[in-house]
Amino acid sequence: MEKKQRISIFTTASLPWMTGTSVNPLFRAAYLAKQDEERKVTLVIPSLSLKDQEHVYPDKITFNLPSEQEKYVHNWLEERTGFRSSFNIRFYPGKFSRDKRSILAVGDITEVIPDEEADIAVLEEPEHLTWYHHGKRWKAKFRLVVGVVHTNYLEYVRREKNEQVQAFFLKYINSWVVNIYCHKVIRLSAATQDLPRSIICNVHGVNPRFIEIGKKKNEQQQNGSKAFAKGAYYIGKMIWHKGYKELLKLLRDNQNDLIGLEVDLYRNGEDSAEVQEATKKLELTVRVHLGRDHADPLFHDYKVFLNPSTTDVVCTTTAEALAMGKIVVCANHPSNDFFKQFPNCRTYNDSKGFVEATRKALTKEPSPLTDAQRHELSWEAATERFLRAAELEQAPPLKSEADQAPSQKRLTKSSPKLFLSTSLSIKRRMEDASALAHFVRTALLSSQPDEDQRKKLGLAPPSGKWGPRR
């Protein structure tokens, strides 16, 4: 009897932290489970201490138990999709790194999935999940490991001190760990670095709410009503490298050509105070507001979404704005290649082009989306693209012990042909040596979950064994 396909999706963040690696893997899990009810999908997300939760999660939201957070995540998703998904949620111990502004895994997070359920692993941000991974080798535990690259880390590093040196080493490390741990890699756009065994494909969609908003706006346009009464806005985490530096420079350099332009900025972030102070130096009207959900009715009437960011890989808010029927003005950059197929996407190459695109967008009405264009933005289409890119639909079901690949079986004296084949596999041996080197290195850098984390998550005590378990 064939066993159903088991997919474990590991990601680096979770709701209520509203970041791309919280939201997109969550929707991926929901729509993979919905697309095939025989498929067993598990979303694996970080569990934080109360202290870290207070620092990371908005509106003072905290959870005493993982089960409380699991309920929150499922309810949030059901409210936005309109269906109750059948995927499971499991937690791994994590800690928030303030200097990296991100959550790091603690201990061997592969142990969250029992060996008998380890079939296909999807690593959302594979480099991030494996920088400090100290434990069982992903490609040894799982039959297929697919990485999905979300973040342009090299671009972030280039904006810091000693950027060239840091970028050089980070580029090497990313390629190293991805090669060790992933069979396939999906890069959302060409804005990310080239990685071993990688292809470019946008496998993200938009929350169905935004598509419904766009349909209503289309109806208003067809009825002759004024669908978009407001002008231009931008929503994004308020840190300088999320496009705010570029946007304010474009506005400052072109104030005389953009007289009368008013722009509203929405979001919370570490650089909010500095951004707000910078807007006061402009002659144009630029207002800074507290962050809100992009689906909030407050945003429905805006006509133009300005997004000059070049650090995103595929900007979620840009996709949402297009789905809502708005005109998007964005940089002619690899991160925006997917959006160029939509008539309401207006790209620019330089400062002059930004002015022309913005002025034209404010005087023209958006083109109504076709059904095919809406589908291309949806999670149904994104799931179809993911299955093709990862080749999951061609992947056989979970293998039994007897069917495992030779490279995963223990070598014995009774299998001389296997021994000869393996010993001659230079590539395999080099990869093994590389994995061992990474394991030894991370022994000095990685930390283990404390007793409270293990108890809360039901994890077994550490084995204390040395060497990469295979």
Side-chain angles (χ1 to χ4, degrees), residues 36-78:
D36 184 352
E37 294 181 357
E38 290 301 308
R39 183 184 289 132
K40 182 176 180 181
V41 180
T42 301
L43 179 66
V44 189
I45 58 179
S47 175
L48 299 176
S49 67
L50 279 174
K51 183 178 179 181
D52 279 347
Q53 289 182 48
E54 291 169 355
H55 185 81
V56 175
Y57 298 156
D59 303 323
K60 299 181 180 180
I61 301 174
T62 58
F63 309 97
N64 291 314
L65 297 172
S67 58
E68 296 174 2
Q69 188 169 4
E70 179 179 1
K71 182 178 179 181
Y72 177 95
V73 171
H74 272 300
N75 289 342
W76 184 94
L77 182 67
E78 183 177 1

Side-chain angles (χ1 to χ4, degrees), residues 23-287:
V23 175
N24 290 309
L26 175 60
F27 278 107
R28 192 177 335 282
Y31 281 88
L32 278 171
K34 181 184 180 184
Q35 195 256 6
D36 184 352
E37 294 181 357
E38 290 301 308
R39 183 184 289 132
K40 182 176 180 181
V41 180
T42 301
L43 179 66
V44 189
I45 58 179
S47 175
L48 299 176
S49 67
L50 279 174
K51 183 178 179 181
D52 279 347
Q53 289 182 48
E54 291 169 355
H55 185 81
V56 175
Y57 298 156
D59 303 323
K60 299 181 180 180
I61 301 174
T62 58
F63 309 97
N64 291 314
L65 297 172
S67 58
E68 296 174 2
Q69 188 169 4
E70 179 179 1
K71 182 178 179 181
Y72 177 95
V73 171
H74 272 300
N75 289 342
W76 184 94
L77 182 67
E78 183 177 1
E79 183 182 343
R80 283 152 182 80
T81 62
F83 63 87
R84 187 74 176 179
S85 185
S86 60
F87 71 91
N88 298 317
I89 294 178
R90 289 182 178 170
F91 293 84
Y92 67 81
K95 65 178 181 179
F96 183 72
S97 171
R98 283 166 173 73
D99 61 324
K100 294 180 176 60
R101 295 181 177 181
S102 59
I103 297 171
L104 300 178
V106 178
D108 179 10
I109 66 174
T110 67
E111 66 182 354
V112 173
I113 301 297
D115 289 347
E116 63 273 13
E117 296 181 18
D119 181 19
I120 297 169
V122 178
L123 305 186
E124 310 273 355
E125 292 202 314
E127 66 279 66
H128 184 151
L129 284 168
T130 57
W131 284 329
Y132 302 102
H133 177 67
H134 183 72
K136 185 172 288 187
R137 188 172 167 190
W138 291 93
K139 287 201 290 189
K141 174 154 184 171
F142 292 89
R143 178 179 55 81
L144 176 64
V145 182
V146 180
V148 181
V149 178
H150 289 240
T151 307
N152 190 352
Y153 286 110
L154 296 186
E155 183 62 28
Y156 288 157
V157 168
R158 290 190 185 106
R159 295 168 180 246
E160 298 176 358
K161 295 180 180 179
N162 303 316
E163 68 281 356
Q164 294 302 323
V165 175
Q166 288 191 63
F168 173 80
F169 283 110
L170 183 60
K171 184 177 181 180
Y172 168 76
I173 291 169
N174 287 347
S175 294
W176 181 35
V177 295
V178 166
N179 185 53
I180 293 171
Y181 296 116
C182 295
H183 295 103
K184 299 171 185 268
V185 177
I186 300 171
R187 298 161 56 201
L188 297 178
S189 77
T192 59
Q193 74 174 87
D194 193 15
L195 291 166
R197 297 180 293 277
S198 67
I199 62 170
I200 297 172
C201 182
N202 176 23
V203 294
H204 286 178
V206 300
N207 182 331
R209 270 188 173 185
F210 297 102
I211 293 176
E212 291 304 314
I213 293 168
K215 288 180 179 178
K216 291 178 181 178
K217 287 297 176 182
N218 187 17
E219 291 175 1
Q220 286 181 303
Q221 286 176 297
Q222 291 179 338
N223 293 333
S225 303
K226 189 174 179 62
F228 301 99
K230 297 180 182 178
Y233 77 109
Y234 177 53
I235 179 172
K237 186 176 182 181
M238 204 162 277
I239 49 181
W240 282 115
H241 59 241
K242 275 289 188 181
Y244 289 95
K245 184 174 291 186
E246 290 84 351
L247 178 58
L248 293 182
K249 184 178 187 306
L250 286 166
L251 296 177
R252 183 183 68 243
D253 293 348
N254 298 284
Q255 292 183 105
N256 293 335
D257 296 318
L258 293 171
I259 294 174
L261 174 67
E262 297 185 7
V263 181
D264 291 314
L265 307 179
Y266 293 88
R267 210 51 163 184
N268 300 318
E270 292 89 334
D271 299 327
S272 296
E274 291 183 22
V275 171
Q276 189 159 11
E277 188 63 28
T279 63
K280 296 176 182 178
K281 300 176 182 178
L282 299 174
E283 295 177 14
L284 298 174
T285 301
V286 180
R287 295 175 288 263

Side-chain angles (χ1 to χ4, degrees), residues 187-452:
R187 298 161 56 201
L188 297 178
S189 77
T192 59
Q193 74 174 87
D194 193 15
L195 291 166
R197 297 180 293 277
S198 67
I199 62 170
I200 297 172
C201 182
N202 176 23
V203 294
H204 286 178
V206 300
N207 182 331
R209 270 188 173 185
F210 297 102
I211 293 176
E212 291 304 314
I213 293 168
K215 288 180 179 178
K216 291 178 181 178
K217 287 297 176 182
N218 187 17
E219 291 175 1
Q220 286 181 303
Q221 286 176 297
Q222 291 179 338
N223 293 333
S225 303
K226 189 174 179 62
F228 301 99
K230 297 180 182 178
Y233 77 109
Y234 177 53
I235 179 172
K237 186 176 182 181
M238 204 162 277
I239 49 181
W240 282 115
H241 59 241
K242 275 289 188 181
Y244 289 95
K245 184 174 291 186
E246 290 84 351
L247 178 58
L248 293 182
K249 184 178 187 306
L250 286 166
L251 296 177
R252 183 183 68 243
D253 293 348
N254 298 284
Q255 292 183 105
N256 293 335
D257 296 318
L258 293 171
I259 294 174
L261 174 67
E262 297 185 7
V263 181
D264 291 314
L265 307 179
Y266 293 88
R267 210 51 163 184
N268 300 318
E270 292 89 334
D271 299 327
S272 296
E274 291 183 22
V275 171
Q276 189 159 11
E277 188 63 28
T279 63
K280 296 176 182 178
K281 300 176 182 178
L282 299 174
E283 295 177 14
L284 298 174
T285 301
V286 180
R287 295 175 288 263
V288 179
H289 308 275
L290 290 176
R292 297 193 183 205
D293 189 311
H294 201 188
D296 191 292
L298 174 73
F299 296 105
H300 296 187
D301 290 343
Y302 281 102
K303 183 168 66 172
V304 180
F305 181 75
L306 302 176
N307 185 7
S309 175
T310 56
T311 59
D312 290 301
V313 175
V314 172
C315 184
T316 300
T317 50
T318 294
E320 293 168 350
L322 287 171
M324 287 191 282
K326 305 179 188 301
I327 296 174
V328 168
V329 176
C330 58
N332 185 11
H333 185 264
S335 62
N336 295 318
D337 284 348
F338 177 80
F339 303 125
K340 292 178 183 178
Q341 64 183 294
F342 300 98
N344 289 328
C345 177
R346 314 287 171 79
T347 61
Y348 61 88
N349 293 308
D350 51 28
S351 183
K352 181 180 178 181
F354 171 79
V355 172
E356 292 178 357
T358 301
R359 292 174 65 176
K360 186 176 180 180
L362 289 168
T363 58
K364 301 289 183 181
E365 287 301 305
S367 301
L369 291 178
T370 65
D371 289 340
Q373 289 165 349
R374 288 195 191 93
H375 177 73
E376 194 68 11
L377 289 166
S378 72
W379 266 105
E380 285 84 359
T383 303
E384 294 165 5
R385 293 193 295 267
F386 175 78
L387 291 169
R388 289 196 300 269
E391 298 181 313
L392 294 196
E393 292 193 318
Q394 287 77 41
L398 182 64
K399 294 182 178 180
S400 65
E401 181 71 22
D403 294 329
Q404 284 183 358
S407 61
Q408 293 182 351
K409 292 182 179 179
R410 185 185 299 276
L411 301 182
T412 66
K413 293 181 179 179
S414 62
S415 54
K417 291 183 179 180
L418 176 59
F419 181 84
L420 179 63
S421 173
T422 306
S423 63
L424 292 176
S425 177
I426 298 175
K427 183 178 179 181
R428 166 73 180 179
R429 291 171 66 184
M430 289 180 66
E431 191 174 289
D432 286 348
S434 188
L436 178 60
H438 184 257
F439 184 88
V440 173
R441 172 184 172 274
T442 54
L444 305 173
L445 300 174
S446 61
S447 57
Q448 294 296 320
D450 57 34
E451 184 178 347
D452 182 61

